[in-house]
Amino acid sequence: MRGCDERVAVTMTGSNLHPRKIKSDEDWVHLTYDVIHDDAIDKLMIRYRDQEPKEAAIVETGKGRIWYRFSDTPVNADPEVTRIYKDGTAVTGWY
């Protein structure tokens, strides 16, 4: 794995968040997020079912790099990911 001794490049957690005031199921906030373990990863493209791929936001923290992406629909399955490395290489999959 590039620039990383970890076996996993990126991990993923999904959640359908319940805002304070909700009138219908359409008001839920759908989100996936987690940690980037491989420092050589520059970008993540996340594709939810029936949606176009979009770039995930990456936040640099004192404890590592965190990524997140909102979905327009409920998160009921793992999204597809494309890892884009600093050298321009694109690799699909979480591992």
Coordinates of all heavy atoms in Angstrom, one line a residue:
M1 N 0.8 -1.2 0.0 CA 0.0 0.0 0.0 C 0.9 1.2 0.0 O 1.9 1.3 0.7 CB -0.9 0.0 1.2 CG -1.8 1.1 1.2 SD -3.3 0.8 2.3 CE -3.9 -0.6 1.6
R2 N 0.5 2.2 -0.7 CA 1.3 3.4 -0.9 C 1.4 4.3 0.4 O 0.4 4.6 0.9 CB 0.7 4.4 -1.9 CG 0.4 3.7 -3.2 CD -0.6 4.6 -4.0 NE -1.1 3.9 -5.1 CZ -0.5 3.8 -6.3 NH1 0.5 4.5 -6.5 NH2 -1.1 3.2 -7.2
G3 N 2.6 4.6 0.8 CA 2.9 5.5 1.9 C 2.2 5.1 3.2 O 1.9 6.0 4.0
C4 N 1.9 3.9 3.4 CA 1.1 3.5 4.6 C 1.4 2.1 5.0 O 1.5 1.2 4.2 CB -0.4 3.6 4.2 SG -1.5 3.2 5.5
D5 N 1.6 1.9 6.3 CA 1.9 0.5 6.8 C 0.6 -0.2 7.2 O 0.6 -1.3 7.5 CB 2.8 0.5 8.0 CG 4.2 1.0 7.6 OD1 4.6 0.7 6.4 OD2 4.9 1.5 8.4
E6 N -0.5 0.5 7.1 CA -1.8 0.0 7.5 C -2.3 -1.0 6.4 O -1.9 -0.8 5.2 CB -2.9 1.1 7.6 CG -2.5 2.2 8.6 CD -2.8 1.8 10.1 OE1 -3.6 0.9 10.3 OE2 -2.1 2.3 11.0
R7 N -3.2 -1.9 6.8 CA -3.8 -2.8 5.8 C -5.0 -2.1 5.1 O -5.3 -2.5 4.0 CB -4.2 -4.1 6.4 CG -3.0 -4.8 7.0 CD -3.5 -6.1 7.4 NE -3.3 -7.0 6.3 CZ -3.0 -8.3 6.5 NH1 -3.0 -8.8 7.6 NH2 -2.8 -9.1 5.4
V8 N -5.5 -1.1 5.7 CA -6.7 -0.5 5.2 C -6.4 1.0 4.8 O -5.8 1.7 5.6 CB -7.9 -0.5 6.2 CG1 -9.1 0.3 5.7 CG2 -8.2 -1.9 6.6
A9 N -6.7 1.4 3.6 CA -6.4 2.7 3.1 C -7.4 3.7 3.7 O -7.1 4.8 4.1 CB -6.4 2.8 1.6
V10 N -8.7 3.3 3.6 CA -9.8 4.2 4.0 C -10.8 3.4 4.7 O -11.1 2.3 4.3 CB -10.4 4.9 2.8 CG1 -11.5 5.8 3.2 CG2 -9.4 5.6 2.0
T11 N -11.4 3.9 5.8 CA -12.5 3.2 6.4 C -13.8 4.0 6.2 O -13.7 5.2 5.8 CB -12.3 3.0 8.0 OG1 -11.9 4.2 8.5 CG2 -11.2 2.0 8.2
M12 N -15.0 3.4 6.4 CA -16.2 4.0 6.1 C -17.3 3.7 7.2 O -17.4 2.6 7.6 CB -16.7 3.6 4.7 CG -17.9 4.4 4.2 SD -19.5 3.9 4.7 CE -19.6 2.2 4.3
T13 N -18.0 4.7 7.6 CA -19.1 4.6 8.5 C -20.2 5.4 7.9 O -20.0 6.5 7.4 CB -18.8 5.2 9.9 OG1 -17.6 4.5 10.4 CG2 -19.9 5.0 10.9
G14 N -21.5 4.9 8.0 CA -22.6 5.6 7.4 C -23.6 5.8 8.5 O -23.7 5.1 9.5
S15 N -24.4 6.9 8.3 CA -25.4 7.2 9.3 C -26.5 8.0 8.6 O -26.3 8.8 7.7 CB -24.8 8.1 10.4 OG -25.7 8.2 11.5
N16 N -27.7 7.8 9.1 CA -28.9 8.6 8.7 C -29.3 9.4 10.0 O -29.8 8.8 10.9 CB -30.0 7.7 8.2 CG -29.6 7.0 6.9 OD1 -29.3 7.6 6.0 ND2 -29.6 5.7 7.0
L17 N -28.9 10.7 10.0 CA -29.0 11.5 11.2 C -30.4 12.1 11.3 O -31.0 12.6 10.3 CB -28.0 12.6 11.2 CG -26.5 12.1 11.0 CD1 -25.6 13.3 10.9 CD2 -26.1 11.2 12.2
H18 N -30.9 12.2 12.5 CA -32.2 12.7 12.8 C -32.1 14.2 13.3 O -31.6 14.4 14.4 CB -32.9 11.9 13.8 CG -34.3 12.2 14.1 ND1 -34.7 13.3 14.8 CD2 -35.5 11.6 13.7 CE1 -36.0 13.4 14.8 NE2 -36.5 12.3 14.2
P19 N -32.4 15.2 12.5 CA -32.4 16.6 13.0 C -33.4 16.8 14.1 O -34.3 16.0 14.3 CB -32.7 17.4 11.7 CG -32.9 16.5 10.6 CD -32.9 15.1 11.1
R20 N -33.3 17.9 14.8 CA -34.1 18.2 15.9 C -35.6 18.2 15.5 O -36.4 17.6 16.2 CB -33.8 19.6 16.5 CG -32.5 19.5 17.2 CD -32.2 20.9 17.9 NE -30.9 20.9 18.4 CZ -30.3 21.9 18.9 NH1 -31.0 23.0 19.1 NH2 -29.1 21.9 19.4
K21 N -35.9 18.9 14.4 CA -37.3 19.0 14.0 C -37.5 18.3 12.7 O -37.0 18.8 11.7 CB -37.8 20.5 13.9 CG -37.7 21.2 15.2 CD -38.2 22.6 15.1 CE -38.1 23.3 16.4 NZ -38.5 24.7 16.4
I22 N -38.2 17.2 12.7 CA -38.3 16.5 11.5 C -39.8 16.3 11.2 O -40.6 16.0 12.1 CB -37.6 15.1 11.6 CG1 -37.7 14.3 10.3 CG2 -38.2 14.3 12.8 CD1 -36.8 13.1 10.3
K23 N -40.2 16.6 9.9 CA -41.6 16.5 9.5 C -41.9 15.2 8.7 O -43.0 14.7 8.7 CB -42.0 17.7 8.7 CG -41.9 19.0 9.6 CD -42.2 20.2 8.7 CE -42.1 21.4 9.6 NZ -42.3 22.6 8.8
S24 N -40.8 14.7 8.0 CA -41.0 13.5 7.2 C -39.6 12.8 7.1 O -38.6 13.4 7.5 CB -41.5 13.8 5.9 OG -40.6 14.5 5.1
D25 N -39.7 11.6 6.5 CA -38.4 10.9 6.3 C -37.5 11.6 5.4 O -36.2 11.4 5.4 CB -38.7 9.5 5.7 CG -39.3 8.6 6.7 OD1 -39.2 8.8 7.9 OD2 -39.9 7.5 6.3
E26 N -38.0 12.5 4.6 CA -37.1 13.3 3.7 C -36.3 14.3 4.4 O -35.3 14.9 3.9 CB -38.0 14.0 2.6 CG -38.7 13.1 1.7 CD -39.6 13.8 0.7 OE1 -39.6 15.0 0.7 OE2 -40.3 13.1 0.0
D27 N -36.6 14.6 5.7 CA -35.8 15.6 6.5 C -34.5 15.0 7.1 O -33.8 15.7 7.7 CB -36.7 16.2 7.6 CG -37.8 17.0 7.0 OD1 -37.6 17.5 5.9 OD2 -38.8 17.2 7.7
W28 N -34.4 13.7 7.0 CA -33.2 13.1 7.6 C -31.9 13.6 6.9 O -32.0 13.9 5.7 CB -33.2 11.5 7.5 CG -34.2 10.9 8.4 CD1 -35.6 10.9 8.2 CD2 -34.0 10.2 9.6 NE1 -36.2 10.2 9.3 CE2 -35.2 9.8 10.1 CE3 -32.8 9.9 10.3 CZ2 -35.3 9.1 11.3 CZ3 -32.9 9.2 11.4 CH2 -34.1 8.8 12.0
V29 N -30.8 13.6 7.6 CA -29.5 13.9 7.0 C -28.7 12.6 6.8 O -28.5 11.9 7.7 CB -28.7 14.9 7.9 CG1 -27.4 15.2 7.3 CG2 -29.5 16.2 8.2
H30 N -28.3 12.4 5.6 CA -27.7 11.1 5.2 C -26.2 11.4 5.0 O -25.8 12.3 4.2 CB -28.3 10.5 3.9 CG -29.8 10.5 4.0 ND1 -30.5 9.7 4.8 CD2 -30.7 11.3 3.4 CE1 -31.8 9.9 4.7 NE2 -31.9 10.9 3.8
L31 N -25.3 10.6 5.7 CA -23.9 11.0 5.7 C -23.0 9.7 5.8 O -23.4 8.8 6.5 CB -23.7 11.8 7.0 CG -22.3 12.2 7.4 CD1 -21.7 13.2 6.5 CD2 -22.3 12.7 8.9
T32 N -21.9 9.7 5.1 CA -20.9 8.7 5.4 C -19.6 9.5 5.7 O -19.4 10.6 5.3 CB -20.6 7.8 4.2 OG1 -20.4 8.6 3.0 CG2 -21.8 6.9 4.0
Y33 N -18.7 8.9 6.5 CA -17.5 9.6 7.0 C -16.6 8.5 7.6 O -17.0 7.4 7.8 CB -17.9 10.6 8.1 CG -18.6 9.9 9.2 CD1 -17.9 9.5 10.4 CD2 -20.0 9.7 9.2 CE1 -18.5 8.9 11.4 CE2 -20.6 9.1 10.3 CZ -19.9 8.7 11.4 OH -20.5 8.1 12.4
D34 N -15.4 8.9 7.8 CA -14.4 8.1 8.6 C -13.0 8.6 8.4 O -12.8 9.8 8.2 CB -14.5 6.6 8.2 CG -14.4 5.7 9.5 OD1 -13.4 5.9 10.2 OD2 -15.2 4.8 9.7
V35 N -12.0 7.7 8.5 CA -10.6 8.1 8.5 C -9.9 7.7 7.3 O -10.2 6.6 6.7 CB -10.0 7.4 9.8 CG1 -8.5 7.7 9.8 CG2 -10.7 7.8 11.0
I36 N -9.0 8.5 6.8 CA -8.1 8.2 5.7 C -6.8 7.7 6.4 O -6.1 8.5 7.1 CB -7.8 9.3 4.8 CG1 -9.1 9.8 4.1 CG2 -6.8 9.0 3.7 CD1 -9.0 11.0 3.3
H37 N -6.4 6.5 6.2 CA -5.2 5.9 6.8 C -4.0 6.0 6.0 O -2.9 5.9 6.5 CB -5.4 4.4 7.1 CG -6.5 4.2 8.1 ND1 -6.4 4.3 9.5 CD2 -7.8 3.8 7.9 CE1 -7.5 4.1 10.1 NE2 -8.4 3.8 9.2
D38 N -4.1 6.2 4.7 CA -3.0 6.3 3.8 C -2.7 7.8 3.4 O -3.5 8.4 2.7 CB -3.4 5.5 2.5 CG -2.2 5.3 1.6 OD1 -1.2 6.1 1.7 OD2 -2.3 4.4 0.7
D39 N -1.6 8.3 3.8 CA -1.2 9.7 3.6 C -1.0 10.0 2.1 O -1.0 11.2 1.7 CB 0.1 10.0 4.3 CG -0.1 10.0 5.8 OD1 -1.3 10.2 6.3 OD2 0.9 9.9 6.6
A40 N -0.8 9.0 1.3 CA -0.6 9.2 -0.2 C -1.9 9.5 -0.9 O -1.9 9.9 -2.0 CB 0.1 8.0 -0.8
I41 N -3.1 9.3 -0.2 CA -4.4 9.6 -0.9 C -4.6 11.1 -0.9 O -4.5 11.8 0.2 CB -5.5 8.9 -0.1 CG1 -5.4 7.4 -0.3 CG2 -6.9 9.4 -0.6 CD1 -6.4 6.6 0.5
D42 N -4.9 11.6 -2.0 CA -5.1 13.1 -2.2 C -6.6 13.4 -2.2 O -7.0 14.4 -1.6 CB -4.5 13.5 -3.5 CG -4.6 15.0 -3.7 OD1 -4.3 15.8 -2.8 OD2 -5.0 15.5 -4.8
K43 N -7.5 12.6 -2.8 CA -8.9 12.8 -2.9 C -9.7 11.5 -2.8 O -9.1 10.5 -3.2 CB -9.3 13.5 -4.3 CG -8.8 14.8 -4.5 CD -9.5 15.4 -5.7 CE -8.6 15.5 -6.9 NZ -9.2 16.2 -8.0
L44 N -10.9 11.6 -2.5 CA -11.8 10.5 -2.5 C -13.1 10.9 -3.3 O -13.7 11.9 -3.1 CB -12.3 10.1 -1.1 CG -11.3 9.5 -0.2 CD1 -11.9 9.3 1.2 CD2 -10.6 8.3 -0.7
M45 N -13.4 10.1 -4.3 CA -14.7 10.3 -5.0 C -15.7 9.2 -4.5 O -15.4 8.0 -4.5 CB -14.5 10.1 -6.5 CG -13.5 11.1 -7.1 SD -14.0 12.9 -6.9 CE -15.5 12.9 -7.9
I46 N -16.8 9.7 -4.0 CA -17.8 8.8 -3.4 C -19.0 8.8 -4.3 O -19.5 9.8 -4.7 CB -18.2 9.3 -2.0 CG1 -17.0 9.4 -1.1 CG2 -19.2 8.3 -1.4 CD1 -16.2 8.2 -0.8
R47 N -19.5 7.5 -4.6 CA -20.7 7.4 -5.4 C -21.7 6.6 -4.7 O -21.5 5.4 -4.3 CB -20.4 6.7 -6.7 CG -21.6 6.6 -7.6 CD -21.2 5.8 -8.9 NE -22.4 5.6 -9.7 CZ -23.3 4.6 -9.5 NH1 -23.1 3.8 -8.5 NH2 -24.3 4.5 -10.3
Y48 N -22.9 7.2 -4.4 CA -24.0 6.5 -3.8 C -24.8 5.9 -4.9 O -24.9 6.4 -6.0 CB -24.8 7.5 -2.9 CG -24.1 8.0 -1.8 CD1 -23.6 9.4 -1.8 CD2 -23.9 7.3 -0.6 CE1 -23.0 9.9 -0.7 CE2 -23.2 7.8 0.5 CZ -22.8 9.1 0.4 OH -22.1 9.6 1.5
R49 N -25.6 4.9 -4.5 CA -26.5 4.3 -5.5 C -27.4 5.3 -6.1 O -27.9 6.2 -5.5 CB -27.4 3.2 -4.8 CG -28.2 2.4 -5.7 CD -29.0 1.4 -4.9 NE -28.2 0.8 -3.8 CZ -28.6 -0.1 -3.0 NH1 -29.9 -0.4 -3.0 NH2 -27.9 -0.6 -2.0
D50 N -27.5 5.3 -7.5 CA -28.4 6.2 -8.3 C -28.0 7.6 -8.2 O -28.8 8.5 -8.4 CB -29.8 6.0 -7.8 CG -30.4 4.6 -8.0 OD1 -29.9 3.9 -9.0 OD2 -31.2 4.1 -7.2
Q51 N -26.7 7.9 -7.8 CA -26.2 9.3 -7.8 C -24.8 9.3 -8.5 O -24.2 8.3 -8.7 CB -26.0 9.8 -6.4 CG -27.3 9.9 -5.6 CD -27.1 10.3 -4.2 OE1 -26.3 11.2 -3.9 NE2 -27.7 9.7 -3.2
E52 N -24.5 10.5 -9.0 CA -23.2 10.7 -9.6 C -22.1 10.8 -8.6 O -22.4 11.2 -7.5 CB -23.2 12.0 -10.4 CG -24.1 12.0 -11.6 CD -23.7 11.0 -12.7 OE1 -22.5 10.9 -13.0 OE2 -24.6 10.2 -13.2
P53 N -20.9 10.3 -8.9 CA -19.8 10.5 -8.0 C -19.5 11.9 -7.6 O -19.6 12.8 -8.5 CB -18.6 9.8 -8.7 CG -19.1 9.1 -9.9 CD -20.5 9.7 -10.2
K54 N -19.2 12.2 -6.4 CA -18.8 13.5 -6.0 C -17.6 13.4 -5.0 O -17.5 12.4 -4.3 CB -19.9 14.2 -5.3 CG -21.1 14.6 -6.2 CD -22.1 15.4 -5.4 CE -23.4 15.7 -6.3 NZ -24.4 16.3 -5.5
E55 N -16.8 14.5 -5.0 CA -15.6 14.5 -4.1 C -16.0 14.6 -2.7 O -16.9 15.5 -2.3 CB -14.7 15.6 -4.5 CG -13.4 15.6 -3.8 CD -12.4 16.6 -4.3 OE1 -12.6 17.2 -5.4 OE2 -11.4 16.9 -3.6
A56 N -15.4 13.8 -1.8 CA -15.7 13.9 -0.4 C -14.8 15.1 0.2 O -13.8 15.4 -0.3 CB -15.2 12.6 0.3
A57 N -15.4 15.7 1.2 CA -14.6 16.7 1.9 C -13.6 16.0 2.8 O -13.9 14.9 3.4 CB -15.5 17.6 2.8
I58 N -12.4 16.5 2.9 CA -11.3 16.0 3.7 C -10.9 17.1 4.7 O -10.6 18.2 4.3 CB -10.1 15.5 2.9 CG1 -10.5 14.4 2.0 CG2 -9.0 15.1 3.8 CD1 -9.5 13.9 1.0
V59 N -10.9 16.7 6.0 CA -10.5 17.6 7.0 C -9.2 17.1 7.7 O -9.2 16.0 8.2 CB -11.7 17.7 8.1 CG1 -11.3 18.7 9.2 CG2 -13.0 18.1 7.4
E60 N -8.2 18.0 7.8 CA -7.0 17.6 8.5 C -7.2 17.9 9.9 O -7.6 19.0 10.3 CB -5.8 18.5 7.9 CG -5.6 18.4 6.4 CD -4.9 17.1 6.0 OE1 -4.3 16.4 6.9 OE2 -5.0 16.7 4.8
T61 N -7.0 17.0 10.8 CA -7.1 17.2 12.2 C -5.8 16.8 12.9 O -4.9 16.2 12.3 CB -8.2 16.3 12.9 OG1 -7.8 15.0 12.9 CG2 -9.5 16.4 12.1
G62 N -5.6 17.1 14.2 CA -4.5 16.7 14.9 C -4.3 15.2 15.1 O -3.3 14.7 15.5
K63 N -5.4 14.5 14.9 CA -5.4 13.1 15.1 C -5.5 12.3 13.7 O -5.7 11.1 13.7 CB -6.6 12.7 16.0 CG -6.4 13.2 17.4 CD -7.4 12.7 18.3 CE -7.1 13.3 19.7 NZ -7.8 12.6 20.7
G64 N -5.4 13.0 12.6 CA -5.4 12.3 11.3 C -6.4 13.0 10.4 O -7.0 14.0 10.7
R65 N -6.5 12.5 9.2 CA -7.4 13.0 8.2 C -8.8 12.3 8.2 O -8.8 11.1 8.2 CB -6.7 12.8 6.8 CG -5.4 13.6 6.7 CD -4.6 13.2 5.5 NE -5.2 13.6 4.3 CZ -5.2 12.9 3.2 NH1 -4.5 11.8 3.1 NH2 -5.8 13.4 2.1
I66 N -9.8 13.1 8.3 CA -11.2 12.6 8.3 C -11.9 13.1 7.0 O -11.7 14.2 6.5 CB -12.0 13.3 9.5 CG1 -11.2 13.1 10.8 CG2 -13.4 12.7 9.6 CD1 -11.0 11.7 11.2
W67 N -12.7 12.2 6.4 CA -13.4 12.5 5.2 C -14.9 12.4 5.5 O -15.3 11.7 6.4 CB -13.0 11.6 4.1 CG -13.5 10.2 4.2 CD1 -12.8 9.1 4.8 CD2 -14.8 9.6 3.8 NE1 -13.6 8.0 4.8 CE2 -14.8 8.3 4.2 CE3 -15.9 10.2 3.1 CZ2 -15.8 7.4 3.9 CZ3 -16.9 9.3 2.9 CH2 -16.9 8.0 3.2
Y68 N -15.7 13.1 4.8 CA -17.2 13.0 4.9 C -17.8 13.4 3.6 O -17.3 14.1 2.8 CB -17.7 13.8 6.0 CG -17.6 15.3 5.9 CD1 -18.7 16.0 5.3 CD2 -16.5 16.0 6.3 CE1 -18.6 17.4 5.1 CE2 -16.4 17.4 6.1 CZ -17.5 18.1 5.5 OH -17.4 19.4 5.3
R69 N -19.0 12.9 3.4 CA -19.8 13.2 2.2 C -21.3 12.9 2.5 O -21.6 11.9 3.1 CB -19.4 12.3 1.0 CG -20.3 12.3 -0.1 CD -19.8 13.0 -1.3 NE -20.4 12.5 -2.5 CZ -21.7 12.6 -2.8 NH1 -22.6 13.1 -2.0 NH2 -22.2 12.1 -3.9
F70 N -22.1 13.9 2.1 CA -23.6 13.8 2.3 C -24.2 13.1 1.1 O -23.7 13.2 0.0 CB -24.2 15.1 2.5 CG -23.8 15.8 3.8 CD1 -22.8 16.7 3.8 CD2 -24.4 15.5 5.0 CE1 -22.4 17.3 5.0 CE2 -24.0 16.0 6.2 CZ -23.0 17.0 6.2
S71 N -25.3 12.4 1.4 CA -26.0 11.7 0.3 C -27.4 12.4 0.2 O -27.9 12.9 1.1 CB -26.2 10.2 0.6 OG -27.1 9.6 -0.3
D72 N -27.9 12.4 -1.1 CA -29.2 12.9 -1.3 C -30.3 12.0 -0.9 O -31.5 12.4 -0.7 CB -29.4 13.2 -2.8 CG -28.4 14.3 -3.3 OD1 -28.0 15.1 -2.5 OD2 -28.1 14.2 -4.5
T73 N -30.0 10.7 -0.7 CA -31.0 9.7 -0.3 C -30.4 8.9 0.9 O -29.2 9.0 1.2 CB -31.2 8.7 -1.5 OG1 -29.9 8.1 -1.8 CG2 -31.8 9.4 -2.7
P74 N -31.3 8.1 1.6 CA -30.8 7.3 2.7 C -29.6 6.4 2.4 O -29.5 5.9 1.2 CB -32.0 6.5 3.1 CG -33.2 7.3 2.6 CD -32.7 7.9 1.3
V75 N -28.7 6.3 3.3 CA -27.5 5.4 3.1 C -27.9 4.0 3.6 O -28.0 3.7 4.8 CB -26.3 5.9 4.0 CG1 -25.2 5.0 3.8 CG2 -26.0 7.4 3.5
N76 N -28.3 3.2 2.6 CA -28.7 1.8 2.9 C -27.7 0.8 2.5 O -27.9 -0.4 2.6 CB -30.1 1.5 2.3 CG -31.1 2.4 2.8 OD1 -31.2 2.7 4.0 ND2 -32.0 2.9 2.0
A77 N -26.6 1.2 1.8 CA -25.6 0.3 1.3 C -24.3 1.1 1.3 O -24.3 2.3 1.2 CB -26.0 -0.2 -0.1
D78 N -23.2 0.3 1.3 CA -21.9 1.0 1.2 C -21.8 1.7 -0.2 O -22.1 1.1 -1.2 CB -20.7 0.0 1.3 CG -20.6 -0.6 2.7 OD1 -21.3 -0.1 3.6 OD2 -19.8 -1.5 2.8
P79 N -21.3 2.9 -0.2 CA -21.1 3.6 -1.5 C -19.8 3.1 -2.1 O -19.0 2.4 -1.5 CB -20.9 5.1 -1.0 CG -20.4 5.0 0.3 CD -21.0 3.8 1.0
E80 N -19.7 3.4 -3.4 CA -18.5 3.1 -4.1 C -17.5 4.2 -3.9 O -17.9 5.4 -3.7 CB -18.8 3.0 -5.6 CG -19.7 1.8 -6.0 CD -20.0 1.9 -7.5 OE1 -19.4 2.6 -8.2 OE2 -21.0 1.2 -7.8
V81 N -16.2 3.8 -3.8 CA -15.2 4.9 -3.6 C -14.1 4.7 -4.7 O -13.8 3.6 -5.1 CB -14.5 4.8 -2.2 CG1 -13.8 3.5 -2.0 CG2 -13.6 5.9 -1.9
T82 N -13.6 5.8 -5.1 CA -12.4 5.9 -5.9 C -11.3 6.7 -5.1 O -11.6 7.9 -4.8 CB -12.6 6.5 -7.3 OG1 -13.6 5.7 -8.0 CG2 -11.3 6.5 -8.1
R83 N -10.2 6.1 -4.8 CA -9.1 6.8 -4.1 C -8.2 7.4 -5.2 O -7.7 6.7 -6.1 CB -8.3 5.8 -3.3 CG -9.2 5.1 -2.3 CD -8.4 4.1 -1.4 NE -7.4 3.3 -2.0 CZ -7.6 2.0 -2.4 NH1 -8.7 1.4 -2.3 NH2 -6.6 1.4 -2.9
I84 N -8.0 8.6 -5.1 CA -7.1 9.3 -6.0 C -5.8 9.7 -5.3 O -5.9 10.5 -4.3 CB -7.7 10.5 -6.7 CG1 -9.0 10.0 -7.4 CG2 -6.8 11.2 -7.6 CD1 -9.9 11.1 -8.0
Y85 N -4.7 9.2 -5.7 CA -3.4 9.4 -5.0 C -2.7 10.6 -5.5 O -3.0 11.2 -6.6 CB -2.5 8.1 -5.2 CG -3.0 7.0 -4.4 CD1 -4.0 6.1 -4.9 CD2 -2.6 6.8 -3.1 CE1 -4.5 5.1 -4.1 CE2 -3.1 5.7 -2.3 CZ -4.0 4.9 -2.9 OH -4.5 3.8 -2.1
K86 N -1.8 11.1 -4.7 CA -1.0 12.3 -5.1 C -0.3 12.2 -6.4 O -0.1 13.2 -7.1 CB 0.0 12.7 -4.0 CG -0.8 13.1 -2.7 CD 0.2 13.3 -1.5 CE -0.6 13.6 -0.3 NZ 0.3 13.7 0.9
D87 N 0.0 11.0 -6.9 CA 0.7 10.9 -8.2 C -0.3 10.8 -9.3 O 0.1 10.5 -10.5 CB 1.6 9.6 -8.1 CG 0.9 8.3 -8.0 OD1 -0.4 8.3 -8.0 OD2 1.5 7.3 -8.0
G88 N -1.6 10.9 -9.0 CA -2.6 10.9 -10.1 C -3.3 9.5 -10.3 O -4.3 9.4 -11.0
T89 N -2.7 8.5 -9.7 CA -3.3 7.1 -9.8 C -4.7 7.1 -9.2 O -4.9 7.6 -8.0 CB -2.4 6.1 -9.1 OG1 -1.1 6.2 -9.7 CG2 -2.9 4.7 -9.3
A90 N -5.6 6.5 -9.8 CA -7.0 6.3 -9.3 C -7.2 4.8 -9.1 O -7.0 4.0 -10.0 CB -8.0 6.8 -10.3
V91 N -7.7 4.4 -7.9 CA -7.9 3.0 -7.5 C -9.3 2.9 -6.9 O -9.7 3.7 -6.0 CB -6.9 2.6 -6.5 CG1 -7.1 1.1 -6.1 CG2 -5.5 2.7 -7.0
T92 N -10.1 2.0 -7.4 CA -11.5 1.8 -6.8 C -11.4 0.8 -5.7 O -10.5 0.0 -5.6 CB -12.4 1.3 -7.9 OG1 -12.0 0.1 -8.4 CG2 -12.6 2.3 -9.0
G93 N -12.3 1.0 -4.7 CA -12.4 0.1 -3.6 C -11.8 0.7 -2.3 O -11.0 1.7 -2.3
W94 N -12.3 0.2 -1.2 CA -11.9 0.7 0.1 C -10.6 0.2 0.6 O -10.0 0.8 1.5 CB -13.0 0.3 1.1 CG -14.3 1.0 0.8 CD1 -15.4 0.4 0.2 CD2 -14.7 2.3 1.1 NE1 -16.4 1.3 0.1 CE2 -16.0 2.5 0.6 CE3 -14.0 3.4 1.7 CZ2 -16.6 3.7 0.8 CZ3 -14.6 4.6 1.8 CH2 -15.9 4.8 1.3
Y95 N -10.1 -0.9 0.0 CA -8.8 -1.5 0.5 C -7.7 -1.4 -0.5 O -7.8 -1.4 -1.6 CB -9.0 -3.0 0.9 CG -10.1 -3.2 1.8 CD1 -11.4 -3.6 1.4 CD2 -10.0 -2.9 3.2 CE1 -12.4 -3.8 2.3 CE2 -11.0 -3.1 4.1 CZ -12.2 -3.5 3.6 OH -13.3 -3.7 4.5

